[in-house]
């Protein structure tokens, strides 16, 4: 297993990519409220959650895959922000009383705690729609690229992606096997990460060989990421995580960590991380992606 340190150069690159994303999200916020005459609580609720922080992993991956495929940041920026909006939407809905019923997210009261349940539901819905609009209305991209990006977004969030995974998570009453957990994680967490990496490549005009390698990379990162998430839900520190720990056990959820034990789950996460790293060899200038991938495995938040 490679054990790359997160160097100052990689830290600086990560901070820059997060900054670029957050600056553009602010611009999109102002564009979104143009033409709305009344101040709306929904707009506040949407941006309360978007601007609450978060690791911005999906936009970072989109921007970086675009870069390693020879594209510019501008080419991937609307895709990156759209992904963060959809991700934030999924967190808002995931915290609702009818789902995980969590009171804290990203170190703040969850959206429904701050704004009410109906407002949180609608803020999530509005973010999903704004995400599609953001990509579809980006006139700096060709119509063909925009169509491909919107297809990636809708497929990854739909019934064969994030929603499908969440359906299994919330409704499956049978016994969870390791394979069923892997399938659920691939849909619930992996699908949006796959879209993030694929969309970066597509925005840069990359060929199928690179798009498919990015997808395999993301599939493995998604599994490692969700397994680490499970472990942190048992061993993590609430103030560092910015959300409650023990939520899975409280909701009676079987996770990879509870099924096979924390140490074995850590080994699995390392195994999937190595598989992800192996997929990066066909990309030039992949040093940041390699360091970032290893950094995700060691995260404590
Ligand atoms: C979004 C179309 C759509 C439907 C919603 C509620 C739901 C259906 C899906 C839930 C998906 C979900 C919450 C998956 C968990 C993924 C995960 C590990 C989230 C945490 O991601 P981080 O750690 O969060 O990147 P931050 O806060 O850092 O951005």
């Amino acid at each position: 297993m490679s054990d790359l340190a997160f160097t100052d150069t990689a830290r600086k690159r990560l901070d820059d990519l997060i900054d670029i994303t957050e600056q553009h999200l602010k611009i999109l916020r102002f564009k979104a409220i143009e033409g709305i005459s009344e101040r709306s609580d929904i707009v506040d609720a949407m941006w309360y959650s978007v601007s609450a922080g978060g690791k911005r992993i999906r936009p970072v991956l989109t921007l970086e895959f675009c870069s390693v495929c020879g594209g510019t940041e501008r080419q991937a920026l609307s895709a990156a922000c759209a992904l963060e909006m959809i991700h934030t939407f999924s967190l808002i809905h995931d915290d609702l009383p009818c789902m995980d019923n969590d009171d804290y997210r990203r170190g703040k009261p969850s959206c429904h705690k701050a704004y009410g349940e109906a407002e949180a539901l609608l803020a999530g819905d509005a973010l999903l729609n704004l995400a599609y609009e953001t990509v579809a209305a980006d006139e700096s991209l060709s119509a063909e690229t925009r169509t491909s990006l919107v297809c990636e977004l809708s497929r990854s969030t739909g019934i064969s992606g994030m929603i499908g995974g969440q359906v299994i998570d919330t409704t499956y009453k049978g016994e969870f096997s390791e394979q069923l957990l892997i399938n659920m994680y691939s849909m619930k967490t992996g699908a949006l990460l796959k879209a993030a990496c694929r969309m970066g490549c597509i925005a840069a005009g990359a060929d199928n060989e690179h798009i498919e390698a990015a997808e395999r990379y993301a599939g493995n990162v998604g599994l490692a990421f969700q397994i680490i998430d499970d472990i942190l839900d048992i061993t993590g520190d609430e103030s560092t995580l910015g959300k409650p720990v023990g939520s899975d056990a409280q909701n009676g959820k079987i996770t990879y960590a509870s099924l096979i034990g924390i140490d074995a789950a850590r080994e699995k996460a390392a195994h999937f991380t190595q598989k992800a790293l192996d997929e990066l060899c066909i990309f030039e200038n992949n040093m940041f992606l390699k360091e970032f991938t290893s950094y995700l495995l060691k995260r404590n938040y």
Side-chain angles (χ1 to χ4, degrees), residues 49 52-59 84-96 99-100 105-107 124-125 128 132 153-154 156-159 161-167 169-170 184-185 187-190 192-193 222 225-230 232 241-243 296 299 301:
S49 293
K55 296 180 284 301
R56 313 299 195 200
I57 286 162
R58 294 143 194 88
E84 189 61 22
M85 288 178 199
I86 291 183
H87 169 58
T88 306
F89 159 40
S90 77
L91 300 180
I92 294 173
H93 280 202
D94 196 49
D95 290 338
L96 286 170
M99 298 265 175
D100 280 359
R105 173 69 70 174
R106 293 176 163 174
D125 294 344
L128 179 68
Y132 293 132
L153 280 180
S154 38
S156 60
T157 50
I159 48 169
M162 189 156 54
I163 292 179
Q166 185 73 355
V167 169
D169 197 11
T170 51
M184 182 180 83
Y185 289 180
M187 294 164 82
K188 191 178 97 153
T189 307
L192 203 62
L193 287 165
F225 190 80
Q226 185 58 59
I227 293 171
I228 296 293
D229 212 65
D230 294 346
L232 289 174
L241 282 172
K243 61 178 183 180
L296 288 179
R299 71 193 173 96
Y301 70 101

Side-chain angles (χ1 to χ4, degrees), residues 29-253:
R29 179 202 169 150
F30 284 112
K31 274 197 187 159
I33 54 176
E34 266 170 18
I36 301 180
S37 52
E38 299 288 320
R39 260 195 81 70
S40 155
D41 272 359
I42 290 304
V43 176
D44 288 346
M46 289 160 74
W47 257 270
Y48 170 80
S49 293
V50 170
S51 62
K55 296 180 284 301
R56 313 299 195 200
I57 286 162
R58 294 143 194 88
V60 164
L61 287 172
T62 305
L63 292 169
E64 190 60 19
F65 268 98
C66 182
S67 169
V68 297
C69 290
T72 62
E73 274 146 14
R74 183 66 199 86
Q75 282 170 278
L77 206 45
S78 47
C81 290
L83 282 153
E84 189 61 22
M85 288 178 199
I86 291 183
H87 169 58
T88 306
F89 159 40
S90 77
L91 300 180
I92 294 173
H93 280 202
D94 196 49
D95 290 338
L96 286 170
C98 61
M99 298 265 175
D100 280 359
N101 194 19
D102 279 327
D103 291 353
Y104 282 92
R105 173 69 70 174
R106 293 176 163 174
K108 292 166 79 173
S110 41
C111 193
H112 67 277
K113 282 281 156 193
Y115 287 89
E117 212 174 314
E119 287 78 2
L121 189 79
L122 293 167
D125 294 344
L127 279 172
L128 179 68
N129 285 285
L130 187 59
Y132 293 132
E133 183 187 332
T134 297
V135 172
D138 184 347
E139 288 175 359
S140 71
L141 302 173
S142 71
E144 198 188 339
T145 303
R146 287 189 243 174
T147 308
S148 300
L149 294 175
V150 170
C151 277
E152 293 289 333
L153 280 180
S154 38
R155 200 174 300 125
S156 60
T157 50
I159 48 169
S160 57
M162 189 156 54
I163 292 179
Q166 185 73 355
V167 169
I168 300 174
D169 197 11
T170 51
T171 63
Y172 184 74
K173 298 280 180 268
E175 212 164 286
F176 268 99
S177 64
E178 201 172 328
Q179 191 53 51
L180 183 57
L181 274 177
I182 294 270
N183 293 348
M184 182 180 83
Y185 289 180
S186 297
M187 294 164 82
K188 191 178 97 153
T189 307
L192 203 62
L193 287 165
K194 280 184 189 171
C197 299
R198 285 177 58 94
M199 286 168 79
C201 299
I202 291 168
D207 60 21
N208 277 339
E209 193 192 356
H210 285 81
I211 296 172
E212 283 162 18
E215 175 171 347
R216 287 192 300 273
Y217 161 85
N220 286 299
V221 164
L223 292 174
F225 190 80
Q226 185 58 59
I227 293 171
I228 296 293
D229 212 65
D230 294 346
I231 295 172
L232 289 174
D233 192 62
I234 300 171
T235 64
D237 171 61
E238 288 197 353
S239 61
T240 315
L241 282 172
K243 61 178 183 180
V245 296
S247 173
D248 292 330
Q250 214 172 331
N251 289 320
K253 280 191 184 173

